[in-house]
């Protein structure tokens, strides 16, 4: 209508850029105008939670709000996952990667597996369940499984180990019944022994000190994260992942991801069940 005032967006262009800058520095993930609706919804939730009147007031107060940057980051992380996701990589883990890794080690030696990001825990717990069910040598080695994420809310959920039926839909019923206890409301909880087999730690993939503190691993699952990064962040993350692997260690990416245009430091390895990357 001619002369009508346009509806003001929840975020001005400058506010949207500011949110994008804050998230990029904190996580390496890129959020711009093409994700306006997604950004506005989540910022509006945080503005309401903090009781501040509008986005401008929220962004002004953000540096002084204890823990709020962490909550903002949590609001933007994607935690869609389920047990036995990309099962072909789990098959490759037990049939090729781990047998090759332990070939020159003695029984009882440490083998370290890292799930980063681990979201609400389905992936690292899946690794533990898969090995118990399918790798006969699992008890011969000291297997350490670490799950890490930047989303502290997701880590709290992972430690609780409670899941709905959708998350468990890919598990064979017999496997579900061995490792989960039914709760009310169609929820299931992981048995305590399995909970104790996975350790959860907050880690930021683009923070070198955060990564270095975790030590080195034999296998790293880093699936469906680099797709949210720009080229610079991907290269930085690839270098940190490389440095986090033991020589001969493996990196598993998501099925739509590739190291081909990110880093030439890894060897591409075609296994029977999966294509993975290895530190020479």
């Amino acid at each position: 209508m001619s002369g009508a005032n346009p509806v003001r967006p929840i975020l001005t262009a400058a506010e949207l850029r500011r949110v994008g800058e804050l998230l990029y520095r904190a996580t390496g993930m890129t959020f711009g105008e093409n994700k306006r609706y997604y950004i506005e919804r989540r910022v509006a939730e945080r503005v309401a939670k903090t009781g501040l009147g509008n986005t401008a007031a929220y962004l002004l107060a953000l540096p002084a709000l204890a823990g709020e940057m962490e909550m903002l980051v949590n609001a933007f992380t994607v935690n869609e996952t389920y047990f036995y996701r990309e099962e072909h990589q789990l098959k490759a883990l037990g049939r090729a990667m781990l047998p090759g890794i332990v070939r020159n080690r003695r029984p009882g030696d440490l083998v370290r597996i890292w799930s980063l990001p681990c979201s609400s825990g389905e992936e690292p717990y899946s690794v533990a369940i898969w090995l118990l069910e399918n790798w006969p040598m699992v008890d011969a080695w000291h297997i350490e499984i670490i799950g890490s994420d930047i989303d502290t809310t997701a880590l709290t959920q992972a430690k609780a180990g409670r899941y709905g039926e959708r998350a468990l839909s890919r598990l064979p019923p017999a496997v579900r019944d061995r490792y989960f206890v039914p709760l009310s409301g169609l929820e299931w909880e992981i048995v305590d022994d399995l909970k104790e087999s996975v350790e959860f730690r907050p880690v930021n993939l683009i923070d070198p000190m955060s990564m270095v503190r975790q030590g080195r691993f034999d296998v790293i699952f880093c699936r469906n994260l680099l797709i949210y990064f720009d080229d610079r962040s991907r290269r930085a993350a690839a270098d940190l992942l490389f440095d986090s692997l033991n020589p001969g260690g493996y990196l598993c990416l998501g099925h739509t991801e590739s190291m081909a245009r990110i880093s030439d430091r890894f060897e591409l390895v075609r296994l029977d069940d999966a294509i993975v990357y290895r530190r020479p």
Side-chain angles (χ1 to χ4, degrees), residues 2 9 19 23 36 57 92 103 122 150 155 207 222 240 243 269-270:
S2 177
V19 173
L23 291 169
R36 171 176 282 277
R103 187 172 296 126
E122 288 91 333
I150 197 173
L155 290 176
D207 178 1
C222 184
L240 290 170
D243 293 339
V269 181
R270 298 181 184 273

Side-chain angles (χ1 to χ4, degrees), residues 9-54:
I10 296 175
L11 271 71
T12 66
E15 289 168 347
L16 189 142
R17 284 195 301 273
R18 177 60 178 157
V19 173
E21 290 166 0
L22 288 169
L23 291 169
Y24 182 75
R25 286 205 299 269
T27 70
M29 295 187 289
T30 56
F31 295 92
E33 186 66 43
N34 63 326
K35 297 178 181 176
R36 171 176 282 277
Y37 178 69
Y38 182 86
I39 295 168
E40 287 180 340
R41 281 181 56 199
R42 280 150 182 79
V43 171
E45 290 170 2
R46 294 313 310 161
V47 171
K49 287 280 188 182
T50 55
L52 295 166
N54 53 54

